[in-house]
Amino acid sequence: MLTVLQRIVEAVNQAPDLDSALALIVQKARAALGSDVCSVYLADHDAQQFILMATEGLNLDENDRVTLAFGEGLISLAAQREEPLNIANASEHPNFKLIESVGEEAYRAMLVAPIIHQRKVLGVLAAQQRNARAFSAEEEAFVVTLAAQLATVIAHAEARGLVSGHYSPWLRNLTGLPGAPGVAIGEAFIGKPAATLSSVVPRRTEFPWREIHKFRKAVLQTRMELRTLADQVAEHVAEDTLAIFDVYQSLLDASSLGDAVENKIKDGWMAQTAVKMAVEDFVSKFEDLDDSYLRERAVDVRDLGQRILSFLQDKNGNKPNFPDSCILIAEEVTASMLAGVPRNKLQGLVSLQGSANSHAAIMARSMGIPAVFGVSQVPLGYLADQHLIVDGYSGEIFVNPPQQLMHEYEILRSEEFELAEMVADHREDEACTLDGIAVSLQINAGMNVEHDQQRLGHYEGIGLYRTEIPFMMRERFPTEAEQYDLYRPVLESTGQLPVVMRTLDVGGDKPLPYFPIHEDNPFLGWRGIRMTLDHPEIFLVQVRAMLRANIGLDNLQILLPMITTLDEVDESIRLINQAYFEVRNELLQSQPGAVVSRPKIGVMIEVPALLYQLEAVAKKVDFFSVGTNDLTQYLLAVDRNNSRVAGLYDSFHPAMLHALQFIVDRCRELNKPVSICGEMAGDPGGALILVAMGYRSLSMSTHNLDKTRWILRHLDSEIMQTLLSKVMQCTHPDQVRRIVRLKLEALGLGGFVRAGK
Ligand code: PEP
Ligand code: MG
């Protein structure tokens, strides 16, 4: 049975459109079951009816349109109950409704299984027999399994049908993951790499030095091209985002990809082959990683490899003809592909693969370009030259939308522009509420070394510097001197403002390419402080580098990730003290009288166990910082990177809200500063709830700074307290979201959570 099922699913998967897919399903399922009839009905939720889309056995002419209203017949009953019906004599069932026009009267036994995709009933699969006999338990199980497997296939095939002009009964748009907020309208332009690694046929050479020369020339050309691309976008993105191009440049360095390629050439491979081999090696290492941020780096390496290849193949000459309102679409949009489209033409982007963690997504947010990622329902070719609306808030893409919808979105888009201008005009204002409650807004950093303070406006420091990001771009742990070079500019970049540097938070879900860790449950494994305390040599070197970088600046604070026990706090402090005395003594030897200050030490609250140890920990540290990303993951027991349970992962879950309220209340009693550095701080509704709870320090990605500041300036204690008492009574995250959205709408701030102003 399993192979029959697999064969059906494979065949249907390859069908070119919805009609052929459905025709194949009914034909193959009827043969496998040996039944007289097999049909597929799809639900049209707008018209509240089922449409008989394909049948093998009933008399359905090409031009016939057979429908059943919702609520009618056994088809509706199975869909409504969301379970199969197996009835020996269907005509005797009170819900039976005969469809005469297709000759249904000849059949008595009926087996109906609902087709459900992501909790939504897409339709039903129905088998019928002349004889009045119940289908066997095996037959029933087969139809149920087939319906479950076909749900995704049907959803995808339907989406393809939509694009090719097929009437779509229930879906008028494609959906992906929101990557950058905003609304874009334009013409799809398919971005393709100038050369592809997969097309390189491996070839050997007798003259490695000649090949090395060719390779080095191509690297130089690639470097120049990247510099031009970086210049092209420089005026549109924050400087931290431009660091993406530094990452590209450093990958080209001899010690990184360059070395790997030259070694392959020395082994006798031609330059093109060596590039292919080395890049594919790198890519597979990155792709094997569990952490979604690190996995996304595979895209950058592949992009870089294909750029070098295009120079080796002399294919870099022709400049594409971009439409005036260009929506860039690619299998995998890369940062450099994005930079290659003139800014005055680029309206939006859609990447069939990838996520909000990709460099392209980070750049799109920084450039204010609406973006949607992970649109897996449709092959690329179907979208070429189509007119699209891209809604970066909801992740929806409308393909060839009707005029009226287009018009509505045009209005929403112009309202967006007004909103963005208004918010940016108030960049220098302090973040404080209408009744004078000041909130310290800081930024999360990690990828960037510098950031453009002009663009940031008023902010109060770096609330979270994730040190693991620079660690991952190397082939070994960075030395103390290398780390000093990384940290010093970060500490200098804020002037006097504090910088909270977190000690290495790798291991488990964020392994380094050069330090693989294999665990069954990586999120519950050897992560963060657990790993670095087991390797004091790594921890001490890092802390020493931080302390040395802080000499003369004194704005460093050290943050410890993933703390679960008091012992971990004690041991970390012991090691920090050791590093401190070492650095101080060394400095005193070379500069008598010099001062090395001991930084404040804080602990991240991300493991729920810490909630019940706040008092004990508070006695040992200077501050707390709540990592809402991990706290949500651990409190709700939901893997934050697993798309299957993504629906459960929600920081607005009532349990999370009560935990957050508990933390801020307890910290106030203990007189211990507490801030928030997870994504929730930069979410418009999240910031509102957190400030209402009593948090006065929020750290967020730079792109959320302006709008959070603006929102806070439109709130007062009364509004916040009323809202808070309502949300704390909610029993479901959706209720919380709805209440917050309505409140933001009522305050004229709805444009921060949906399209429009
Ligand atoms: C968090 O968990 O909320 C956090 C800020 O840390 P990270 O996202 O780096 O795990
Ligand atoms: Mg965390």
Side-chain angles (χ1 to χ4, degrees), residues 292-475:
S292 57
Y293 181 87
L294 301 184
R295 221 170 28 233
E296 286 294 344
R297 305 290 70 80
V299 181
D300 301 328
V301 181
R302 192 183 295 110
D303 180 36
L304 198 62
Q306 302 198 136
R307 272 176 195 277
I308 302 173
L309 200 61
S310 72
F311 283 110
L312 284 170
Q313 296 175 347
D314 253 343
K315 275 192 185 165
N316 220 281
N318 19 347
K319 288 271 163 281
N321 220 345
F322 298 105
D324 287 342
S325 292
C326 173
I327 308 254
L328 177 64
I329 304 198
E331 202 59 49
E332 203 151 44
V333 174
T334 60
S336 64
M337 202 184 265
L338 183 58
V341 187
R343 181 63 189 95
N344 61 343
K345 295 192 170 184
L346 186 60
Q347 302 296 317
L349 75 89
V350 176
S351 185
L352 300 201
Q353 291 176 33
S355 73
N357 275 322
S358 68
H359 270 152
I362 296 168
M363 234 171 100
R365 285 196 289 269
S366 184
M367 293 167 80
I369 296 172
V372 174
F373 285 77
V375 186
S376 52
Q377 307 107 316
V378 64
L380 200 59
Y382 282 85
L383 290 170
D385 306 326
Q386 310 283 334
H387 288 282
L388 304 182
I389 297 174
V390 176
D391 186 332
Y393 293 97
S394 61
E396 282 172 305
I397 299 155
F398 298 91
V399 186
N400 294 327
Q403 204 51 43
Q404 199 192 338
L405 190 67
M406 193 77 126
H407 181 62
E408 278 171 28
Y409 265 94
E410 269 159 9
I411 295 173
L412 291 174
R413 193 175 50 161
S414 55
E415 289 180 358
E416 294 254 298
F417 291 143
E418 282 174 43
L419 191 68
E421 268 180 27
M422 187 174 73
V423 166
D425 282 349
H426 290 77
R427 218 167 240 166
E428 297 304 332
D429 292 351
E430 268 186 55
C432 90
T433 63
L434 289 170
D435 53 344
I437 300 173
V439 180
S440 164
L441 297 189
Q442 298 134 45
I443 58 163
N444 290 351
M447 254 184 33
N448 51 321
V449 177
E450 298 140 28
H451 36 268
D452 186 340
Q453 282 150 50
Q454 220 106 57
R455 284 181 60 97
L456 285 179
H458 184 87
Y459 80 113
E460 298 190 10
I462 297 181
L464 172 67
Y465 177 76
R466 290 177 163 105
T467 56
E468 55 274 14
I469 311 290
F471 272 69
M472 112 220 166
M473 294 316 303
R474 291 188 149 64
E475 290 187 316

Side-chain angles (χ1 to χ4, degrees), residues 33-50:
L33 278 170
S35 64
D36 298 318
V37 175
C38 188
S39 317
V40 173
Y41 296 77
L42 293 187
D44 177 351
H45 288 274
D46 287 345
Q48 296 278 296
Q49 62 185 13
F50 289 97

